[in-house]
C-alpha cells in the first residue's frame, strides 16, 4: 500500500486509504451514456470450454481521490467513452502467446461476439475453461490504453477457474481465495512501452475499481470490484 501511495503522490494524486468503497459503476456515475448489452446468445466458444455469464453491476460509489489531476483524468476517461468512435482493442495473452484484435463497441452497442472472443482469449489455459469477461472491465482496459496513446493491452492473468485460483492461493499470499479473477471481473495487465507505475497511478485516479501494483512482475491488477489500492 505504501509503495502505491508513493507512486500516486509522486504523480500529484492524493490517495485515500482505509475503508473500501462500494463497487464502482461508471455508467451510473455518468461516465458513459450507453447501456450495457448482455453477453448472452453469442456464438459458442471453442470446443471443450465452458461459458458462464458475468454478474450484473451494483450501485455506484462516490470518488475518493480528490485532486485536480485525478479529476482531469476522470474527465478524459469520460470524454473517451462518450466520443462515439468505435472502440478498437488488441489484447495479447502473455501466457499463451495468442492475440486478438477487436472492435468491441460501435454505433452505441457492444458487440457480444467480439466480447466473447476476448473471453475465449483470456480463458483459464490450465483448466480450459472460459467465462464472460465483464464488459466494464473491457472498457476499463480500453480507456487505460487509449489515455496512454495505445490500443494494445497485454494480459498476464485473466480468468481463473476456482480450482486454479485455489492452487495459486496455496502457493502465494498475493492471491485472494475469493479473487475477482474467478468471475471475470479482474485482469493483471501491462501496456507496452508504458511503465507499470504510470498505469497503476492512472487506474487508481480513474476509480473504476480495485488497483494492485506488482512491482516485481511489471504488471498491474485492475478490477471492477470495490474501489481500493494495494501493492505487493
Amino acid at each position: 500500500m505504501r509503495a502505491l501511495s508513493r507512486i500516486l503522490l509522486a504523480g500529484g494524486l492524493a490517495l485515500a486509504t482505509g475503508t473500501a468503497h462500494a463497487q464502482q459503476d461508471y455508467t451510473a456515475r455518468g461516465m458513459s451514456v450507453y447501456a450495457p448489452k448482455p453477453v448472452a446468445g453469442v456464438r459458442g466458444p471453442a470446443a471443450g470450454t465452458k461459458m458462464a455469464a458475468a454478474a450484473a453491476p451494483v450501485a455506484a460509489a462516490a470518488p475518493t481521490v480528490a485532486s485536480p489531476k485525478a479529476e482531469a483524468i476522470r474527465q478524459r476517461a469520460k470524454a473517451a467513452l462518450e466520443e462515439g468512435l468505435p472502440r478498437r482493442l488488441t489484447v495479447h495473452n502473455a501466457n499463451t502467446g495468442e492475440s486478438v484484435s477487436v472492435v468491441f463497441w460501435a454505433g452505441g452497442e457492444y458487440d457480444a461476439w467480439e466480447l466473447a472472443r476476448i473471453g475465449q482469449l483470456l480463458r483459464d489455459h490450465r483448466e480450459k475453461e472460459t467465462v464472460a469477461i465483464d464488459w466494464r472491465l473491457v472498457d476499463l482496459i480500453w480507456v487505460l490504453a487509449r489515455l496512454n496513446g495505445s490500443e494494445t493491452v497485454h494480459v498476464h492473468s485473466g480468468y481463473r477457474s476456482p480450482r486454479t485460483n485455489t492452487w495459486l492461493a496455496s502457493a502465494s499470499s498475493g492471491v485472494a481465495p475469493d479473487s475477482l479473477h474467478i468471475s471475470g471481473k479482474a485482469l493483471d495487465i501491462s501496456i507496452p512501452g508504458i511503465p507499470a507505475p504510470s498505469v497503476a497511478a492512472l487506474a487508481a485516479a480513474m476509480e473504476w475499481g480495485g488497483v494492485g501494483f506488482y512491482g516485481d512482475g511489471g504488471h498491474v491488477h485492475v478490477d471492477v470490484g470495490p474501489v481500493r489500492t494495494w501493492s505487493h
Side-chain angles (χ1 to χ4, degrees), residues 92-178:
H92 175 76
N93 187 323
N95 296 300
T96 67
E98 301 167 293
S99 298
V100 296
S101 295
V102 300
V103 177
F104 68 91
W105 184 97
E109 293 190 352
Y110 291 88
D111 188 317
W113 170 242
E114 299 289 66
L115 290 174
R117 290 181 65 200
I118 295 174
Q120 172 63 22
L121 176 78
L122 302 181
R123 66 193 180 277
D124 184 327
H125 62 280
R126 298 179 180 89
E127 297 293 323
K128 294 184 172 58
E129 293 182 15
T130 303
V131 73
I133 300 299
D134 194 304
W135 61 273
R136 298 168 300 168
L137 188 58
V138 180
D139 267 344
L140 171 57
I141 64 173
W142 175 80
V143 169
L144 286 171
R146 179 69 182 275
L147 297 187
N148 279 294
S150 177
E151 291 184 349
T152 301
V153 173
H154 288 191
V155 175
H156 302 264
S157 183
Y159 167 64
R160 298 176 194 157
S161 68
R163 180 173 175 173
T164 292
N165 197 76
T166 298
W167 173 70
L168 290 172
S170 69
S172 172
S173 60
V175 177
D178 57 348

Side-chain angles (χ1 to χ4, degrees), residues 24 26-27 29-34 68-85 87 104 110 136 138-148 201-208:
Q24 194 80 353
Y26 56 79
T27 297
R29 283 184 57 193
M31 295 298 288
S32 176
V33 297
Y34 308 111
K69 185 169 183 177
E71 181 58 30
I73 289 172
R74 285 192 285 271
Q75 289 302 316
R76 288 174 62 204
K78 178 180 178 181
L81 285 170
E82 295 183 346
E83 66 186 351
L85 297 177
R87 298 176 193 170
F104 68 91
Y110 291 88
R136 298 168 300 168
V138 180
D139 267 344
L140 171 57
I141 64 173
W142 175 80
V143 169
L144 286 171
R146 179 69 182 275
L147 297 187
N148 279 294
L202 182 63
M206 286 167 56
E207 294 186 324
W208 289 5

